[in-house]
C-alpha cells in the first residue's frame, strides 16, 4: 500500500536523501545501479552451461564485460558509501557495514576467479565467480524480499520489514551463489 511504502516509517526518507544529493553523486549511484543490470544479465548467461558450450567466444567476451562492469560498479559503490556515510545509508550501521563486506567480497571473488582462470583451473574459476555473483544478487534479492514480505507485513512499516530483509539478505545471497 502507499501507506506501507510512503508512510511515516516508509521509503520517503530514502527518496528525500537521494534527491538532496548533488547531481554528480546521483550520477555515481545511478550508474552503479545500471551496471548492476549489466551484471545480472551477463552473469545469468555466464552460468548457463548450454550457452557457455555453444557460444564459447561470446562467453569470453561477456566475461570481460562482466569483470569490467563488476569492478566499475564496486568502485562507484565505494565512492557512494564513502560520501554518504553511515547515517545516510539505508538502515544505518549494520547495512552500511554489510555493503562494504559485499563490495570487498565481489572484488576478492572476481579477482580470485581471474587468477584461477589464468591457472586454467576452471572449477575454481566457476566457484569464485558463483560466489561473486551471489554477492551481486543482494540487490535483486532485496527487492524480491521487499515485495514478498509486503504481503504479510500487517501493521509493520516498510522500514521494520526492511530490517528483517537485511537480516537474511547476505545469507540468501551467499546461498544463491552456492
Amino acid at each position: 500500500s502507499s501507506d506501507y511504502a510512503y508512510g511515516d516509517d516508509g521509503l520517503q526518507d530514502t527518496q528525500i536523501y537521494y534527491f538532496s544529493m548533488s547531481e554528480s553523486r546521483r550520477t555515481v549511484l545511478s550508474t552503479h545501479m545500471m551496471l548492476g543490470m549489466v551484471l545480472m544479465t551477463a552473469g545469468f548467461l555466464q552460468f548457463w552451461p548450454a550457452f557457455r558450450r555453444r557460444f564459447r567466444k561470446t562467453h569470453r567476451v561477456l566475461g570481460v564485460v562482466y569483470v569490467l562492469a563488476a569492478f566499475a560498479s564496486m568502485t562507484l559503490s565505494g565512492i557512494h558509501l564513502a560520501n554518504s556515510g553511515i547515517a545516510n545509508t539505508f538502515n544505518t550501521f549494520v547495512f552500511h557495514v554489510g555493503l562494504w563486506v559485499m563490495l570487498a567480497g565481489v572484488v576478492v571473488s572476481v579477482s580470485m576467479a581471474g587468477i584461477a582462470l589464468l591457472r586454467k583451473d576452471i572449477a575454481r574459476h566457476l566457484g569464485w565467480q558463483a560466489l561473486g555473483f551471489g554477492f551481486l544478487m543482494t540487490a535483486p534479492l532485496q527487492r524480491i524480499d521487499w515485495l514478498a514480505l509486503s504481503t504479510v507485513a500487517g501493521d509493520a512499516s516498510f522500514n521494520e520489514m526492511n530490517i528483517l530483509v537485511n537480516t537474511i539478505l547476505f545469507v540468501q545471497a551467499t546461498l544463491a551463489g552456492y
Side-chain angles (χ1 to χ4, degrees):
S1 71
S2 62
D3 187 52
Y4 174 78
Y6 304 110
D8 291 337
D9 195 28
L11 282 169
Q12 192 146 0
D13 289 340
T14 304
Q15 291 173 316
I16 291 168
Y17 177 68
Y18 178 81
F19 287 108
S20 71
M21 289 189 293
S22 68
E23 186 65 33
S24 63
R25 290 198 42 219
R26 279 199 308 259
T27 299
V28 164
L29 185 58
S30 297
T31 304
H32 160 74
M33 289 185 228
M34 294 300 109
L35 287 168
M37 290 188 335
V38 171
L39 288 163
M40 290 300 103
T41 304
F44 170 76
L45 291 172
Q46 292 301 82
F47 288 106
W48 187 5
F51 179 83
R52 284 196 313 263
R53 281 191 303 274
R54 189 166 178 206
F55 303 104
R56 222 177 249 305
K57 189 171 190 167
T58 304
H59 167 73
R60 290 178 179 147
V61 169
L62 271 179
V64 170
V65 169
Y66 180 89
V67 168
L68 293 174
F71 285 124
S73 180
M74 293 304 100
T75 299
L76 294 170
S77 176
I79 291 168
H80 175 70
L81 287 170
N83 286 319
S84 294
I86 293 170
N88 291 314
T89 302
F90 206 47
N91 278 88
T92 62
F93 181 75
V94 172
F95 195 59
H96 186 83
V97 170
L99 290 172
W100 279 110
V101 168
M102 194 251 352
L103 184 157
V106 170
V107 170
V108 168
S109 61
V110 171
S111 298
M112 293 303 292
I115 291 168
L117 188 61
L118 291 173
R119 293 179 177 165
K120 299 188 186 322
D121 188 346
I122 302 305
R124 278 200 173 89
H125 168 72
L126 186 58
W128 281 110
Q129 283 295 76
L131 180 62
F133 192 66
F135 282 125
L136 292 168
M137 287 292 295
T138 53
L141 285 170
Q142 185 183 48
R143 275 74 179 165
I144 291 166
D145 289 348
W146 284 342
L147 289 174
L149 291 174
S150 71
T151 62
V152 296
D155 290 336
S157 70
F158 173 80
N159 282 324
E160 289 169 331
M161 294 306 285
N162 192 48
I163 291 168
L164 174 60
V165 168
N166 291 335
T167 301
I168 62 174
L169 185 60
F170 294 103
V171 172
Q172 274 184 308
T174 304
L175 288 173
Y178 180 77

